[in-house]
């Protein structure tokens, strides 16, 4: 199968973390939770996100490139207002000329889809009735341990839609599993929404209608889709998704605070620049530096004439007055 190597890779990383946490927390349960398997899934997320960090860098660079094009995109919209076909052609030409890829912002999500499917497949096969216990490098003991693992009394391989007979064989009840699964699905939806909202609030809505539609899809469409599809997700997969969202929120907060996005006229909302007493904005030139394009304010030299104090031009006490027409002293 095409995804066979994904199943083996996910299993290998998950089992390595389980071996580590099982050595630290051997068979200990707290709050009806098997922490060695829960922490193995959490650190599976951390491992995957560390491997995908270069992809995250490309995503940030692409978002900054797209944001820098906002004024030009807005001008094209005004120029070709009502002519959608011509507008799309001009937009594509602008992307090609400036070497910007609007789809690069979704790249981390697309890359993580195989990982999500791999973990979904691995956890779905955890069942007491599955005779093939040593698939993808698992031992029989590890298979049985993962099958019996629980999160607040609900089995990690179980889901909201799992039949009651299966949940009983996994050592749980239908009511307990449904309550835990429902709460986890709501947390998954909320964190997915917050991670998209966080980025949009900092960078603003895109001026390109197509990109704005993608932003709305990620902000509203994906969380609503999880409400429909989340009932079939195993609890271990939901745990992976929630941990991944929390990691994304922290990572985006750090990047946006340390490397704030540049302010452009085409994005909304737009930060206002401070104005001086004359009503003109202060002159500051943004220069890019660092991995993510950190902005630094380099104050431009002012062309205004130096102010000369009037006290310096006044005659000293006791000095003879000067005739400005003759350039000498005035006659008494």
């Amino acid at each position: 199968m095409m995804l066979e190597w994904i199943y083996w890779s996910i299993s290998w990383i998950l089992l390595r973390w389980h071996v580590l946490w099982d050595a630290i927390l051997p068979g200990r349960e707290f709050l009806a939770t098997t922490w060695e398997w829960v922490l193995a899934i959490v650190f599976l997320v951390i491992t995957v996100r560390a491997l995908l960090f270069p992809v995250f860098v490309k995503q940030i660079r692409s978002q900054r490139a797209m944001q820098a094009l906002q004024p030009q995109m807005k001008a094209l919209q005004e120029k070709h207002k009502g002519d959608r076909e011509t507008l799309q052609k001009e937009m594509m030409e602008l992307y090609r000329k400036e070497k910007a890829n609007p789809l690069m912002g979704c790249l981390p999500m697309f890359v993580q889809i195989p990982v999500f499917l791999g973990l979904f497949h691995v956890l779905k096969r955890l069942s007491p009735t599955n005779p093939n216990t040593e698939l993808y490098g698992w031992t029989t003991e590890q298979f049985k341990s993962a099958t019996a693992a629980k999160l607040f009394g609900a089995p990690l391989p179980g889901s909201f839609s799992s039949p009651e007979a299966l949940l009983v064989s996994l050592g749980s009840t239908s009511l307990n599993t449904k309550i835990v699964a429902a709460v986890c699905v709501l947390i998954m939806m909320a964190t997915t929404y917050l991670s998209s909202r966080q980025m949009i609030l900092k960078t603003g809505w895109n001026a390109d209608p197509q990109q704005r539609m993608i932003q709305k899809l990620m902000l509203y469409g994906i969380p609503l889709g999880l409400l429909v599809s989340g009932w079939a997700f195993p609890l271990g997969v939901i745990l992976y998704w929630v941990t991944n969202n929390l990691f994304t929120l922290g990572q985006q907060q750090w990047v946006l605070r340390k490397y704030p996005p540049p302010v452009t006229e085409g994005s909304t909302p737009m930060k206002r620049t401070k104005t001086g007493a004359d009503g003109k904005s202060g002159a500051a030139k943004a220069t890019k530096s660092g991995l993510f394009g950190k902005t630094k304010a380099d104050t431009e030299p002012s062309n205004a004439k130096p102010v000369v104090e009037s006290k310096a031009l006044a005659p000293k006490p006791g000095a003879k007055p000067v005739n400005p027409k003759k350039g000498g002293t005035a006659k008494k």
Side-chain angles (χ1 to χ4, degrees), residues 26-92:
R28 295 182 182 178
E29 288 192 6
F30 179 65
L31 297 176
T33 300
T34 312
W35 290 105
E36 61 264 28
W37 282 108
V38 170
L39 291 174
I41 294 177
V42 170
F43 278 81
L44 170 65
V45 175
I46 296 175
T47 304
V48 171
R49 293 305 299 263
L51 295 175
L52 293 180
F53 185 76
V55 179
F56 175 74
V57 172
K58 290 183 179 181
Q59 178 195 24
I60 295 297
R61 287 177 175 174
S62 175
Q63 289 173 342
R64 297 296 164 84
M66 292 297 298
Q67 195 170 10
L69 295 178
Q70 293 294 308
Q72 300 180 54
M73 294 163 62
K74 189 175 181 180
L76 289 176
Q77 287 179 337
E78 295 294 332
K79 180 179 179 181
H80 302 290
K81 194 173 183 179
D83 189 354
R84 181 177 294 272
E85 184 178 355
T86 305
L87 176 61
Q88 291 297 327
K89 290 181 180 179
E90 293 290 337
M91 288 287 191
M92 295 304 295

Side-chain angles (χ1 to χ4, degrees), residues 276-293:
D278 57 351
K280 297 181 181 180
S281 58
K285 180 173 61 177
T287 59
K288 292 184 178 181
S289 64
L291 184 61
F292 302 107

Side-chain angles (χ1 to χ4, degrees), residues 32 46 65 71 96 113 120 147 150 154 159 170 213 241 244 248 277 301 322:
I46 296 175
R96 186 195 63 81
I113 289 177
F120 182 88
T147 302
K150 293 180 177 59
S159 65
L170 293 174
M213 186 180 301
W241 194 303
N244 185 69
T248 300
V322 179

Side-chain angles (χ1 to χ4, degrees), residues 92-307:
M92 295 304 295
E93 179 62 23
L94 178 63
Y95 296 152
R96 186 195 63 81
K97 181 180 178 181
E98 300 296 335
K99 298 180 180 180
N101 188 353
L103 298 178
M104 189 64 69
C106 304
L107 184 59
M109 182 182 66
F110 291 146
V111 173
Q112 290 189 73
I113 289 177
V115 179
F116 173 80
L117 294 177
L119 183 62
F120 182 88
H121 175 81
V122 169
L123 293 181
K124 285 292 287 184
R125 59 179 289 272
L126 295 176
S127 171
T129 59
N130 186 359
N132 195 356
T133 60
E134 297 184 355
L135 191 62
Y136 309 132
W138 290 64
T139 64
T140 302
E141 183 180 354
Q142 290 172 335
F143 184 90
K144 292 180 179 180
S145 175
T147 302
K150 293 180 177 59
L151 176 66
F152 302 117
L156 289 180
S159 65
F160 191 90
S161 61
S162 295
E164 186 174 359
L166 175 61
L167 296 176
V168 171
S169 66
L170 293 174
S172 184
T173 62
S174 178
L175 180 61
N176 184 27
T177 302
K178 281 179 167 51
I179 292 176
V180 175
V183 172
C184 289
V185 168
L186 292 177
I187 296 176
M188 178 174 61
M189 293 173 58
T191 53
T192 301
Y193 170 80
L194 290 175
S195 61
S196 299
R197 182 175 178 268
Q198 181 189 51
M199 183 62 69
I200 293 176
L201 286 178
K202 291 293 184 179
T203 61
W205 290 97
N206 201 296
D208 184 2
Q210 185 177 2
Q211 295 302 307
R212 186 182 290 257
M213 186 180 301
I214 295 176
Q215 285 180 317
K216 289 183 178 180
L217 175 63
M218 296 184 65
L219 184 62
Y220 303 111
I222 295 179
L224 290 177
L226 293 176
L227 181 62
V228 179
S229 59
W231 66 277
F233 291 167
L235 278 176
V237 172
I238 299 177
L239 175 63
Y240 173 90
W241 194 303
V242 170
T243 306
N244 185 69
N245 287 342
L246 294 176
F247 191 97
T248 300
L249 282 169
Q251 190 178 54
Q252 287 181 168
Q253 181 66 23
W254 178 81
V255 170
L256 292 172
R257 178 174 295 181
K258 192 172 182 63
Y259 305 100
V263 178
T264 60
E265 296 180 357
S267 60
T268 55
M270 185 174 63
K271 296 180 181 179
R272 296 181 179 178
T273 56
K274 296 181 180 180
T275 56
D278 57 351
K280 297 181 181 180
S281 58
K285 180 173 61 177
T287 59
K288 292 184 178 181
S289 64
L291 184 61
F292 302 107
K294 181 180 178 181
T295 56
K296 296 180 180 180
D298 297 332
T299 306
E300 295 180 353
S302 176
N303 295 327
K305 295 181 179 180
V307 179

